[in-house]
Amino acid sequence: MTEEKYVYLIAELDDEANVRMEALFQMLLKAGLPLKPRPNIPYHITVGQFSPQDSPEALVRAENACGETNAFSVSLSNLGLFGERVLFIAPAVNCELMALHNAVSPDVPAQGAHDWVPHITLLMDEPRENILRAIPLVAEAFTPFATKVERVSIYEYPPEKFLVRFPLQNNR
């Protein structure tokens, strides 16, 4: 059985945030958790997900939105879980992040169950035991910090395939 492919519009985190997130992942490996390798995609906040047939329209929306959106800061402030399958860092949602999401994904509400939940995935699709072992380790090591969103990239997944990157307005 093959996984269904999607096109993801991602708000990339700045280099410092990627280093800090990768340090958390490496800390878990050093603690002996037998984790799967991460996809070759930078740490990010997914702002849109589309089927491949809808991606041409999504790419136009992303390019237009990035041309009208300034780079912005967002605070990474909390840990979160989607059940026992995903461990993530959650940003404190601000107007800029909401506006970017609304511009690229106007049909996906940003509130309520099963709608858009901004997050930066640390672990996903790991055995339950790995997620549960990782929670106290990440909780001890994580401290809130700010990052800057300077670009939106588009990837196809699975498998990961980079398609295009659009810098935000004042980051050109």
Side-chain angles (χ1 to χ4, degrees), residues 21 74-80 88-93 118 120 142-147:
M21 294 295 296
V74 64
S75 295
L76 305 184
S77 55
N78 299 292
L79 301 180
F88 62 86
I89 306 296
V93 178
I120 299 100
F142 175 74
T143 55
F145 65 96
T147 184

Side-chain angles (χ1 to χ4, degrees), residues 10-171:
I10 66 171
E12 286 190 36
L13 308 181
D14 63 26
D15 292 340
E16 180 184 339
N18 270 277
V19 168
R20 290 181 76 163
M21 294 295 296
E22 185 60 23
L24 288 172
F25 185 80
Q26 292 300 319
M27 179 260 317
L28 294 173
L29 289 174
K30 288 178 184 162
L33 274 75
L35 302 176
K36 299 173 190 167
R38 288 192 66 256
N40 190 23
I41 299 174
Y43 288 99
H44 62 274
I45 301 166
T46 302
V47 292
Q49 172 185 329
F50 302 91
S51 64
Q53 63 266 23
D54 294 333
S55 68
E57 180 183 326
L59 292 175
V60 169
R61 266 200 315 269
E63 185 173 20
N64 291 339
C66 291
E68 298 170 359
T69 302
N70 288 328
F72 59 92
S73 294
V74 64
S75 295
L76 305 184
S77 55
N78 299 292
L79 301 180
L81 293 168
F82 293 132
E84 295 173 342
R85 302 282 297 157
V86 177
L87 174 61
F88 62 86
I89 306 296
V93 178
N94 58 25
C95 293
E96 295 88 351
L97 182 59
M98 289 293 296
L100 180 61
H101 164 72
N102 290 338
V104 299
S105 300
D107 300 329
V108 179
Q111 58 188 354
H114 308 294
D115 296 325
W116 182 63
V117 178
H119 65 282
I120 299 100
T121 301
L122 186 59
L123 299 178
M124 180 173 73
D125 295 333
E126 291 287 340
R128 176 180 182 268
E129 303 78 44
N130 288 350
I131 300 286
L132 295 178
R133 283 182 55 204
I135 293 169
L137 298 171
V138 174
E140 177 71 26
F142 175 74
T143 55
F145 65 96
T147 184
K148 194 166 186 184
V149 174
E150 300 171 333
R151 60 193 165 266
V152 170
S153 295
I154 292 79
Y155 282 82
E156 190 175 81
Y157 185 81
E160 66 266 14
K161 177 183 175 187
F162 171 76
L163 300 177
V164 66
R165 179 170 288 126
F166 300 116
L168 296 183
Q169 184 60 32
N170 63 345
N171 195 50

